Amino acid sequence: MDPEKQFINTIKTALGRPGNQPPADLFTTSPSQEEKTLLEKIRTRTHQERVPLIEQLRQTVPSLHMDLHLEAGIEEAARAIGRLILEKEPEWGTSKSVVCWDHPLINQLKLSEVAELGQIPIHNTGYDGTDPQRKKEIRSQVEASFIGITSADYCIAATATLAMKTRPGHARSVSLVPSIHVAVVREEQLLADLRELYTLLKWDEAERKEGLTRNLTLISGPSKTADIELVMVHGAHGPRELHLFIIAAD
């Protein structure tokens, strides 16, 4: 037996696999029956079936130092975020400004039209990728803002994790640089666990059509570290607060 086959057989023996077993299918081209069932479960999930997910989320967020806000609609969410902007104070300096993703859901909030916000600048990260000056302007606005408002692709109930794919207009810095991160998602974007997330990313038709973007960020709570004497500190490398707004299904 040549050395290569002998080596492979040694590995198979160590793994407890008989020599006549076909090799593992590492690069599957279609979902298994179990994955098809899971995809169908996600697609047909009703509001009533999401109630336990919301309850699980409600129980998870306190330990992650997150604030959960359940809102009946887009207008209620806009008013609640407006109150948050008014109540919170900047960590650095005294002037307030806010930066928002250029995202359909965030744009529907129309925060720039909320009268109570008065003269507080509400910046938008709309960018077509062609103007370097506009890129610098967005960077300056993100750095100056004390609240960054984003949406997310999905929210995982089991771990209160936001899954955010990078796209034009969805700068990662909006969720990383300002002291307060506000994330807004619809109830329909709730998933039970990471298994559902990875099944969707791998097999969902829309996800496969878009493919992988430059980055997929998973966020569970504000920035935290316990490097020094195991004392938990929030906001050391990113936002000190994370407010998650869930908008109820229509």
Side-chain angles (χ1 to χ4, degrees), residues 57-74:
L57 195 57
R58 195 197 303 271
Q59 294 177 10
T60 303
V61 295
S63 61
L64 294 173
H65 199 64
M66 290 173 64
D67 291 283
L68 177 63
H69 308 260
L70 302 176
E71 303 295 341
I74 195 78

Side-chain angles (χ1 to χ4, degrees), residues 118-193:
Q119 301 301 313
I120 298 176
I122 309 293
H123 304 296
N124 183 284
T125 57
Y127 178 55
D128 61 8
T130 61
D131 183 359
Q133 191 57 38
R134 171 62 182 147
K135 191 173 183 178
K136 290 181 180 178
E137 183 182 47
I138 292 173
R139 185 176 298 169
S140 298
Q141 291 170 345
V142 170
E143 290 173 354
S145 296
F146 82 120
I147 291 181
I149 302 178
T150 75
S151 186
D153 290 82
Y154 305 102
C155 178
I156 301 164
T159 54
T161 300
L162 297 165
M164 302 160 60
K165 294 172 77 172
T166 302
R167 300 182 184 86
H170 302 174
R172 279 187 301 157
S173 56
V174 176
S175 66
L176 296 172
V177 176
S179 299
I180 301 172
H181 178 198
V182 171
V184 187
V185 299
R186 292 192 178 278
E187 178 192 305
E188 296 91 328
Q189 295 170 267
L190 281 177
L191 300 178
D193 49 34

Side-chain angles (χ1 to χ4, degrees), residues 30-45 154 191 195-208:
S30 60
S32 65
Q33 186 54 49
E34 184 182 6
E35 289 169 326
K36 289 180 182 177
T37 302
L38 187 58
L39 286 173
E40 188 62 18
K41 178 181 178 181
I42 298 168
R43 290 190 189 113
T44 59
R45 185 171 277 149
Y154 305 102
L191 300 178
R195 181 164 163 265
E196 289 193 358
L197 172 67
Y198 291 131
T199 301
L200 273 175
L201 292 176
K202 188 173 183 181
W203 296 119
D204 178 72
E205 188 176 338
E207 292 290 352
R208 290 174 67 83

